Amino acid sequence: MTLTLHRGDITTDTEVDALVTAANSGLRGGGGVDGAIHRAAGPALLAECRRIGGCAVGDAVITGAGDLPVRHVIHTVGPVWSGGGHGEPALLASAHRRTVEVAAAHGCARIALPAISCGVYGYPVEQAAAIAVASTREAMVAHPEVVEARFWLFDERTYAAFSAVL
Ligand code: ADP
């Protein structure tokens, strides 16, 4: 398996089967990476999200990708950080595991992921990076049809945190 780090905007990755977005549980689109992916995908993505209706924290759902030049968007919902004693680590690990499971079930060999929960959801970046890398790797061992995960990190600090873990 291959895990790689990339600095910048995840929507510029045209070489994967699916882009992963850090969605909210209502799948309503929003700011941050989810806003960037919805803007690039166009209104068809939001329409598909409306039909699905929602996604639990720690779970993931898959749609088409609208105008994006990839096949799918995987929408996963990470936990909001509220001190760490509310199941956040298990939920963040679950979001990554479910993302890989959904990718495998839909024949996505290569996926691009953002730093889930590390923006407005406020997860401490160093802790999130450790969980993201470990849980993605573990899920790829269980689902070897997913051969590559590319982490797209938007700012230097997040990139450095993932780099230290890898
Ligand atoms: P969450 O609500 O799960 O915290 P955010 O979208 O607020 O999700 O932030 C998740 C991470 O995605 C943050 O590190 C943020 O800087 C980053 N991010 C924002 N826009 C993009 C983008 N276009 N490509 C990749 N990462 C992005």
Side-chain angles (χ1 to χ4, degrees):
M1 77 176 72
T2 308
L3 289 103
T4 55
L5 303 184
H6 306 261
R7 178 81 202 275
D9 179 0
I10 194 170
T11 66
T12 63
D13 194 333
T14 60
E15 294 173 349
V16 291
D17 300 294
L19 298 188
V20 179
T21 186
N24 53 59
S25 53
L27 300 179
R28 292 179 305 271
V33 68
D34 202 40
I37 286 178
H38 274 276
R39 272 193 301 280
L45 187 63
L46 198 58
E48 215 177 325
C49 286
R50 283 214 189 88
R51 282 196 289 278
I52 293 171
C55 178
V57 180
D59 201 359
V61 298
I62 192 165
T63 63
D67 298 334
L68 281 163
V70 297
R71 285 197 290 128
H72 292 290
V73 173
I74 297 172
H75 311 252
T76 190
V77 185
V80 175
W81 178 259
S82 27
H86 296 83
E88 295 95 329
L91 289 167
L92 189 61
S94 173
H96 289 84
R97 184 178 64 249
R98 288 291 303 135
T99 291
V100 172
E101 288 172 359
V102 166
H106 290 81
C108 298
R110 295 186 161 76
I111 59 175
L113 304 93
I116 297 158
S117 288
C118 291
V120 294
Y121 281 8
Y123 211 112
V125 173
E126 284 74 18
Q127 294 176 50
I131 291 169
V133 170
S135 57
T136 300
R137 188 175 168 280
E138 198 178 294
M140 289 169 75
V141 170
H143 298 279
E145 58 270 52
V146 182
V147 299
E148 184 176 2
R150 303 172 170 215
F151 287 97
W152 280 86
L153 297 326
F154 209 47
D155 56 81
E156 187 53 46
R157 174 157 181 235
T158 310
Y159 185 92
F162 276 74
S163 182
V165 172
L166 262 195

